[in-house]
Amino acid sequence: MAQSMPTKCGNCGPGYSTPLEAMKGPREEIVYLPCIYRNTGIEAPDYLATVDVDPKSPQYCQVIHRLPMPNLKDELHHSGWNTCSSCFGDSTKSRTKLVLPSLISSRIYVVDVGSEPRAPKLHKVIEPKDIHAKCELAFLHTTHCLASGEVMISSLGDVKGNGKGGFVLLDGETFEVKGTWERPGGAAPLGYDFWYQPRHNVMISTEWAAPNVLRDGFNPADVEAGLYGSHLHVWDWQRHEIVQTLSMKDGLIPLEIRFLHNPDAAQGFVGCALSATIQRFYKNEGGTWSVEKVIQVPPKKVKGWLLPEMPGLITDILLSLDDRFLYFSNWLHGDLRQYDISDPQRPRLTGQLFLGGSIVKGGPVQVLEDQELKSQPEPLVVKGKRVPGGPQMIQLSLDGKRLYVTTSLYSAWDKQFYPDLIREGSVMLQVDVDTVKGGLKLNPNFLVDFGKEPLGPALAHELRYPGGDCSSDIWI
């Protein structure tokens, strides 16, 4: 797909011709997000919630539809599309199916959001045995659609829960399992997220840990034993094989990875959760890749917590579609941050907002030493509800002016770090963004309280708009 394709063509495919064209797209009116009951004590299936986010609508801030999955304890997590802007040049394609892989059961649900966007329905279920038989992969995470029309999903492990960073390929029309994207025997030792940039013939994948290590909670001894990831894997996009593995200094648990949206860009960022660093990866003149730390969130010395030092725990990162701002959440410290990345080697902090977290005043944790704050932040109360947990998944409006935030990370870790989340459910918040000077401001009139769900408090996770967004779409 050429950068210069006219956007107003009568026979365009899904998405937008360029990231800058996407910024002119329509305002989001509904959001899809998975809600999880695994590990909450509620014996009900996870479900896909549809939330009305149109301020002009009488149902603003309400869950307007719930699609329960046919099984218990799947642990829905992230989602992706049957097709996206990578197929913009193909008018036969349309974005009508949301693909929901299960992190724990390894089942994949394909949901029809095209027929009735405000009332999704189940289209197909891909059972784990089919994935096991054809791919020998399990514990599925990130979904991206490819220009080939296929759908690619990353794995964290093999069927037994050992680490195995491979990729399941689905047919984008029939959703049949085609096999693995990587060559036989060519999986990475650990897996999690990935992003590809075809103009540089590259895909880069990240590492969390083996499913058996992280499944039931976080054990600091596993970090000491070297069981958590600290590498980026650089793949040859055409040959489907690892060509370089980058070891990162202060790079423990690299989770979400984002290339700059500009398809010519040969750099991007990854958020390393446990080290609380943002690392910039980039292509060298010789064609190899390197990585450098560009942001460090200092740990806080604390008492009344699991460890004597509390990391920020950077769990989600986003880049605005014009590649100007980087956003990330510190799930434990409780702050959401905005950095100007006009100079990607020197990100500049332009906005910071505390939305709950583990160090709020009056909580069990006392901060003894803090390199950033003079006092512990106040607890967050929105529309009368004290918000449990901390900012976690984030999604930005196409125009970059609104940020949506949810507070659940993964049910077993929620239970360990924020037991209140299990009792009270997670929330969805909305933050107004100053895109001129930078800056973040909470919208005090926006709250979706998943503590009030019909079957009991639920854990809401990743956010998706029907027309694609800055973490679902890749331009080629």
Side-chain angles (χ1 to χ4, degrees), residues 271-340:
C272 298
L274 197 60
S275 298
T277 60
I278 299 287
Q279 309 261 349
R280 171 185 165 258
F281 56 87
Y282 57 95
K283 190 177 180 180
N284 301 302
E285 280 183 23
T288 59
W289 293 77
S290 294
V291 64
E292 62 175 358
K293 178 170 77 170
V294 289
I295 299 170
Q296 171 78 63
V297 177
K300 300 178 191 298
K301 287 199 173 138
V302 294
K303 73 174 195 188
W305 194 67
L306 174 73
L307 297 165
E309 285 206 339
M310 183 190 290
L313 211 77
I314 296 174
T315 48
D316 197 14
I317 74 167
L318 273 189
L319 301 181
S320 61
L321 285 167
D322 55 6
D323 292 331
R324 185 172 160 215
F325 290 113
L326 162 75
Y327 298 89
F328 68 80
S329 51
N330 282 311
W331 189 58
L332 290 177
H333 288 178
D335 57 320
L336 182 67
R337 298 189 183 202
Q338 175 197 46
Y339 285 79
D340 185 317

Side-chain angles (χ1 to χ4, degrees), residues 146-223:
L146 310 185
S148 62
E150 294 163 311
V151 172
M152 178 164 158
I153 304 173
S154 60
S155 76
L156 270 70
D158 65 13
V159 182
K160 293 180 178 164
N162 303 307
K164 189 177 185 184
F167 303 89
V168 175
L169 270 188
L170 304 180
D171 183 286
E173 301 287 335
T174 64
F175 301 100
E176 290 299 311
V177 179
K178 296 178 77 170
T180 62
W181 175 84
E182 75 279 6
R183 296 174 173 210
L190 297 172
Y192 183 72
D193 195 21
F194 70 101
W195 197 282
Y196 61 89
Q197 200 79 319
R199 293 187 191 184
H200 295 282
N201 188 34
V202 68
M203 186 261 282
I204 301 183
S205 65
T206 64
E207 304 184 324
W208 186 0
N212 290 341
V213 170
L214 65 90
R215 183 182 350 204
D216 298 322
F218 173 74
N219 182 349
D222 290 335
V223 179

Side-chain angles (χ1 to χ4, degrees), residues 1 85 91 136 174 191 314 328 358 404:
M1 178 205 84
S85 295
S91 59
E136 295 179 11
T174 64
I314 296 174
F328 68 80
S358 293
Y404 295 92

Side-chain angles (χ1 to χ4, degrees), residues 62-95:
Q62 290 176 31
V63 179
I64 56 169
H65 187 268
R66 297 169 186 87
L67 176 69
M69 299 302 128
N71 299 279
L72 292 172
K73 299 179 174 34
D74 282 310
E75 189 90 32
L76 296 182
H77 200 62
H78 287 216
S79 64
W81 294 105
N82 64 313
T83 185
C84 76
S85 295
S86 64
C87 288
F88 179 77
D90 184 349
S91 59
T92 66
K93 301 262 188 293
S94 62
R95 188 189 316 252

